[in-house]
Amino acid sequence: MSWQPLHWFGMWCMAISGFSILKGQENRYIFWDWNSGSIFIFSVIILVTVWTILSVRHPATPKQINNLRSLLYFIVMGSIALLLGSIGPKFSMESIKNYVPYLLFYIAVWLVFSIEFMEQDDKSKSIAGSISRIRNLVGSTALTIVGTVIGFHFDDPVASTVSTVYLPFLIVALIMPAHIRHLQRARIYGVFIPAVFLAVRFPWFLIPLWALFFLLRLYHYFRFNIVYPTFGVDYD
């Protein structure tokens, strides 16, 4: 667990997003293509995993966005993952502009994860600060809206749909009375939504996603007698 395997989901999604950009340029209507996988993209997933393990274990690595330095770090991390996934015969500098909506979504989700929680007791948590909550949610909502518009403009069905589907979770968390369950949903579905829409194009991506998800659930259940990761939220 010191390798922070939960971080792998997000970095895998960014790498496969780059792959989706590449394949989308070849065929805009690519859908449920089992044959799209290759040794190269599988190697990229392994490389991104190892890179994530090494980076999160380093004490100087930012764990949330709380200043300009940490923001630049996550932008660079996301850009490199996208670049690795999109390298191929059809790659061109023109395709780099398609990174924008994915990067905006990536930063938007990280802003939500950067809202701190406090442990109230063994089973419940609360939001650490109202100012940071509002600031991060406003920034996350703005980035997601811009990403939606840019995704439609670039005719990217994955980027535009992912941002559009995720937006209501941010709006609810922003306008409803402050409660941790809204932020928990925004965290959970910020990772789940892009994973699902990427798997619609590349169904083989479900295999590592499911494998990691259920291995983590088994580990937490037999080690700590809890069900985690989970789609459940704290109602206390």
Side-chain angles (χ1 to χ4, degrees), residues 126-190:
S126 63
I127 304 169
S130 60
I131 296 178
S132 64
R133 179 187 73 88
I134 294 173
R135 179 191 63 214
N136 285 24
L137 285 174
V138 168
S140 182
T141 303
L143 291 175
T144 304
I145 291 173
V146 174
T148 302
V149 174
I150 295 176
F152 275 110
H153 178 70
F154 289 164
D155 193 28
D156 187 326
V158 175
S160 57
T161 308
V162 164
S163 297
T164 303
V165 174
Y166 183 57
L167 188 58
F169 292 94
L170 296 175
I171 294 176
V172 168
L174 183 60
I175 67 175
M176 295 294 288
H179 198 290
I180 193 170
R181 65 175 178 268
H182 302 313
L183 294 177
Q184 287 175 322
R185 290 193 186 99
R187 285 184 171 189
I188 293 168
Y189 289 100

Side-chain angles (χ1 to χ4, degrees), residues 3-214:
W3 291 359
Q4 297 295 320
L6 284 172
H7 288 200
W8 302 358
F9 288 113
M11 294 306 294
W12 287 355
C13 284
M14 290 300 284
I16 301 302
S17 293
F19 189 65
S20 177
I21 292 172
L22 178 67
K23 291 296 182 180
Q25 291 178 335
E26 299 175 4
N27 176 16
R28 189 256 192 231
Y29 299 100
I30 183 174
F31 173 78
W32 204 252
D33 184 2
W34 281 96
N35 296 322
S36 59
S38 65
I39 297 297
F40 176 76
I41 190 60
F42 299 148
S43 300
V44 168
I45 292 176
I46 295 172
L47 177 60
V48 166
T49 304
V50 174
W51 172 31
T52 305
I53 292 171
L54 295 176
S55 63
V56 298
R57 287 171 62 88
H58 196 282
T61 300
K63 302 302 185 290
Q64 59 186 18
I65 299 176
N66 50 22
N67 53 41
L68 181 59
R69 176 180 171 274
S70 59
L71 174 60
L72 291 174
Y73 169 80
F74 286 111
I75 291 175
V76 171
M77 285 279 288
S79 299
I80 294 175
L82 283 167
L83 179 62
L84 289 173
S86 62
I87 293 175
K90 301 289 185 180
F91 176 80
S92 66
M93 297 303 293
E94 180 73 12
S95 64
I96 292 180
K97 72 178 190 304
N98 292 281
Y99 294 178
V100 175
Y102 293 97
L103 277 174
L104 293 178
F105 183 86
Y106 177 69
I107 298 302
V109 175
W110 261 114
L111 284 173
V112 175
F113 273 92
S114 297
I115 300 173
E116 296 184 13
F117 292 168
M118 294 187 303
E119 297 284 347
Q120 287 186 316
D121 51 48
D122 291 340
K123 294 185 177 180
S124 63
K125 301 176 182 178
S126 63
I127 304 169
S130 60
I131 296 178
S132 64
R133 179 187 73 88
I134 294 173
R135 179 191 63 214
N136 285 24
L137 285 174
V138 168
S140 182
T141 303
L143 291 175
T144 304
I145 291 173
V146 174
T148 302
V149 174
I150 295 176
F152 275 110
H153 178 70
F154 289 164
D155 193 28
D156 187 326
V158 175
S160 57
T161 308
V162 164
S163 297
T164 303
V165 174
Y166 183 57
L167 188 58
F169 292 94
L170 296 175
I171 294 176
V172 168
L174 183 60
I175 67 175
M176 295 294 288
H179 198 290
I180 193 170
R181 65 175 178 268
H182 302 313
L183 294 177
Q184 287 175 322
R185 290 193 186 99
R187 285 184 171 189
I188 293 168
Y189 289 100
V191 179
F192 177 74
I193 291 171
V196 167
F197 281 100
L198 289 167
V200 167
R201 278 191 161 180
F202 314 117
W204 47 262
F205 187 41
L206 290 171
I207 297 173
L209 289 174
W210 282 346
L212 180 58
F213 181 79
F214 286 109

Side-chain angles (χ1 to χ4, degrees), residues 215-227:
L215 283 172
L216 286 172
R217 283 172 72 95
L218 287 172
Y219 170 82
H220 283 91
Y221 182 77
F222 287 108
R223 181 73 183 274
F224 304 110
N225 198 30
I226 59 173
V227 178

